Amino acid sequence: MHEREARARLAAAQAEVVRALVADGPVPPGFDSAHIALARQVLRDKQAHIAHRRALAAARATQRATPWATDVRRPLWRRVLARLAWKTR
Amino acid sequence: MTCLPATVGLGWRPETAWLIHQRAAELGFCEVIAENIRLDRPLPAALAQLVERGMPVVPHGVSLSLGSAEPPDPARLDHLARVAERLHAPLVSEHVAFVRGGGLETDHLLPVPRTREVLDIVVDNVQRAMAVLPVPLALENIAALFQWPDQELDEAEFLAELVARTGVRLLLDLSNLHANARNHGWDPLAFLAAVPLAHVAYVHVAGGIERNGFYHDTHAHHVGAGSLELLAAVRARAGQVPVLLERDDAFGTRAALEAELAELAHITDMGAAGA
């Protein structure tokens, strides 16, 4: 019983902090607002970095799957050949 | 309290895989992010080769959230256990942290409030995890972006009690210790005196950068003097303890990485594996 209550208290406190960090929630009482503001920025930067790496990986996967469509640096004759090869595979 | 050789190691990433393979004689162990290992497909070939050759590979979890109010998720625990088995790992590591709350994920390691009530919860969570895992567990101290108000214990006390009550090992991250000392005004040597160094399974060091008066543990810069001084202090107090260099980004040249590894070996007097 005591354990359940203690866990519920911790859950509520952590939910408040997480909301402040990633969901524009208010800074909970007693916390240093400068540190929370910095933490928000660090988490935002990290999310942007993760999204960027995922986008890069997705772009690479697309390029591998459809080289004739996405590799604009290759000369036209190579792209046409690659497309023919893809169409006849 | 370590199952790893007393050598320097390097975090396994696709970008460092080749260097680890080349330097397998000197690097006695490595560490891989557990969540990046898919159990439904073969291991990356380079990693599989290391495992085959008998290099200890430690699965390092980042999402178990043992500092959460909820007990650890059985599915995440199971994944960690099965990765440990797949890699023939001598131990696994995770963090004293929470990463989610109120149904939201943060993808970041957040500090737990250090009260006796929370310590009881974390002890219970850790015991549940240890009951499921097939090998010993080591827990890492994190770099805290903020501090909770009204705490009852300092970080060293919290970790010491956690170790005393569960028998869990420690993954002592010296760069996180340096970060907390800089950012929250603690004495890192007092921390080292209070934490049970005999229970340290291995040590982490990583690079970081100071920006606007705040030290950021980036894992993307050269390891700084602060971390290296703490490494020398651990060497002096606890003898030769395995040390892993973490690098996640901005890998730079191979020569620079090798120089950094050599520097760590020099500070800790730890030469090649088996030397």
Side-chain angles (χ1 to χ4, degrees):
Chain A
M1 177 63 73
H2 169 72
E3 189 201 320
R4 238 201 327 269
E5 284 165 3
R7 285 186 187 266
R9 272 193 287 275
L10 181 59
Q14 288 179 339
E16 223 186 353
V17 166
V18 170
R19 273 195 297 273
L21 292 174
V22 301
D24 290 324
V27 177
F31 284 82
D32 181 320
S33 51
H35 280 165
I36 295 294
L38 180 64
R40 276 182 186 137
Q41 191 57 53
V42 168
L43 266 56
R44 262 200 295 267
D45 289 347
K46 193 168 190 178
Q47 292 293 12
H49 184 71
I50 291 172
H52 173 71
R53 283 182 84 129
R54 277 203 194 118
L56 272 180
R60 262 185 243 121
T62 306
Q63 186 163 41
R64 274 196 298 274
T66 56
W68 52 267
T70 57
D71 191 351
V72 296
R73 291 170 304 169
R74 293 207 292 175
L76 177 63
W77 66 269
R78 275 201 185 278
R79 280 185 273 149
V80 168
L81 261 179
R83 172 154 196 170
L84 281 172
W86 183 79
K87 288 200 108 162
T88 56
R89 65 176 160 70
Chain B
M1 266 282 181
T2 186
C3 343
L4 297 169
T7 66
V8 177
L10 179 59
W12 195 95
R13 307 280 181 276
E15 295 91 340
T16 60
W18 192 73
L19 178 56
I20 294 172
H21 171 80
Q22 291 293 104
R23 292 274 173 253
E26 289 97 15
L27 298 172
F29 71 106
C30 65
E31 181 198 74
V32 69
I33 302 297
E35 286 78 355
N36 291 346
I37 302 297
R38 296 270 306 258
L39 291 165
D40 59 348
R41 34 175 93 153
L43 291 175
L47 188 57
Q49 218 176 38
L50 288 176
V51 173
E52 231 170 285
R53 289 178 181 186
M55 178 180 278
V57 180
V58 181
H60 185 61
V62 298
S63 67
L64 198 52
S65 207
L66 289 169
S68 270
E70 298 77 25
D73 173 27
R76 290 181 198 274
L77 259 181
D78 181 64
H79 177 87
L80 189 53
R82 297 213 282 144
V83 169
E85 277 158 5
R86 189 74 148 339
L87 297 174
H88 306 298
L91 87 161
V92 303
S93 55
E94 247 287 354
H95 303 82
V96 181
F98 73 107
V99 307
R100 60 184 66 90
L104 298 168
E105 296 285 334
T106 68
D107 291 321
H108 198 82
L109 300 160
L110 304 171
V112 301
R114 290 189 302 270
T115 64
R116 297 210 162 272
E117 185 172 272
V118 173
L119 176 60
D120 287 345
I121 294 170
V122 176
V123 161
D124 189 62
N125 289 349
V126 169
Q127 284 170 335
R128 287 169 192 250
M130 289 173 72
V132 168
L133 293 167
V135 291
L137 172 65
L139 293 181
E140 182 181 338
N141 53 303
I142 63 163
L145 290 174
F146 57 87
Q147 290 296 312
W148 290 78
D150 307 322
Q151 298 192 99
E152 295 163 6
L153 301 161
D154 66 33
E155 192 177 14
E157 280 173 319
F158 193 90
L159 291 173
E161 290 234 19
L162 184 58
V163 166
R165 288 171 62 178
T166 63
V168 78
R169 320 264 169 118
L170 290 177
L171 162 46
L172 185 56
D173 190 307
L174 296 175
S175 303
N176 290 345
L177 171 57
H178 172 73
N180 290 343
R182 291 282 302 143
N183 296 334
H184 307 293
W186 305 344
D187 177 359
L189 295 178
F191 177 101
L192 290 180
V195 95
L197 291 177
H199 286 255
V200 170
Y202 65 114
V203 159
H204 267 177
V205 289
I209 194 169
E210 198 150 308
R211 226 180 270 131
N212 300 324
F214 198 88
Y215 179 91
H216 295 265
D217 176 49
T218 61
H219 297 191
H221 296 83
H222 188 84
V223 179
S227 303
L228 296 177
E229 276 160 25
L230 293 175
L231 184 60
V234 168
R235 169 73 181 90
R237 287 164 195 261
Q240 294 183 336
V241 180
V243 51
L244 186 107
L245 173 63
E246 289 186 287
R247 186 75 160 221
D248 295 340
D249 215 336
F251 292 89
T253 63
R254 177 186 160 170
L257 257 184
E258 286 194 315
E260 220 170 8
L261 292 167
E263 196 175 11
L264 299 177
H266 175 72
I267 289 172
T268 53
D269 303 311
M270 294 193 303

